[in-house]
Amino acid sequence: MRRRHQGAAPAAWLALLCLSAAALTGCGELEESRPGQGDPWIHDEDSERWFLPDSLTTSSELVAEHLPTLDTASELTLIGGQFTDPHERVPIPAQDDYWWQAVVTLAPAEVEELATTAQSQAAAGSIGGEPERLTDRELRAAIVGPLEEALSSCPEEWLTVMPVLTQPGYENRTAAGDGLGVLAVCPGGDQLVISAFDM
């Protein structure tokens, strides 16, 4: 004869459910995995990226690793995050889900050299066409909010300098193998903007 299980106490089932959800989401508490009150994740709608404000840093290690030919920066603001909604993630996210962006202040002479080299490479036909130009508005739409605060307005359009600083043989890959969405300087200014992602 089959015995009907009258059931464990509702509190025990709730605890088991919470533990299962925490294991699947990787979060300590189920409440933390939901958008809303107390949620640390921020979604930047323009750039379609998620980030944690606490990940903002002034460390130059990542930039030095990926763009080793770049001279020492006098100032740097960097942040990273992910493309997918952290509240809907699979237990093991894809490698290319991660991104990082930086606004780097350089000596004006170095910015000028990067811009000149990119234009001369294009004129010599060593890269495919003229370097892309971006307006302030286009560039700000490509980066997350906290970096916009570190960005100075460019009196001219921003100029992409990918082939000058990228891995030899690649126009849009860093020395450490990350893909590049934006690598642009402000001619006549002193800033370089980087938007990279894992490949």
Side-chain angles (χ1 to χ4, degrees), residues 163-179:
V164 183
L165 294 170
T166 52
Q167 187 180 116
Y170 296 92
E171 289 187 17
N172 61 350
R173 189 177 296 182
T174 70
D178 279 3

Side-chain angles (χ1 to χ4, degrees), residues 2 18 35 44 123 133 178 190:
R2 264 175 142 176
C18 286
D44 186 272
R133 293 181 180 272
D178 279 3
D190 62 356

Side-chain angles (χ1 to χ4, degrees), residues 103-163:
V103 173
V104 185
T105 302
L106 303 169
E110 186 175 6
V111 168
E112 194 58 39
E113 183 182 350
L114 290 170
T116 302
T117 305
Q119 288 169 319
S120 17
Q121 284 182 354
S126 59
I127 59 172
E130 283 292 313
E132 185 183 359
R133 293 181 180 272
L134 301 168
T135 64
D136 257 3
R137 185 175 180 178
E138 289 170 328
L139 189 66
R140 287 179 183 278
I143 61 175
V144 295
L147 287 189
E148 289 189 58
E149 296 174 19
L151 193 67
S152 300
S153 291
C154 187
E156 303 178 34
E157 290 181 315
W158 293 83
L159 182 75
T160 57
V161 292
M162 283 191 201

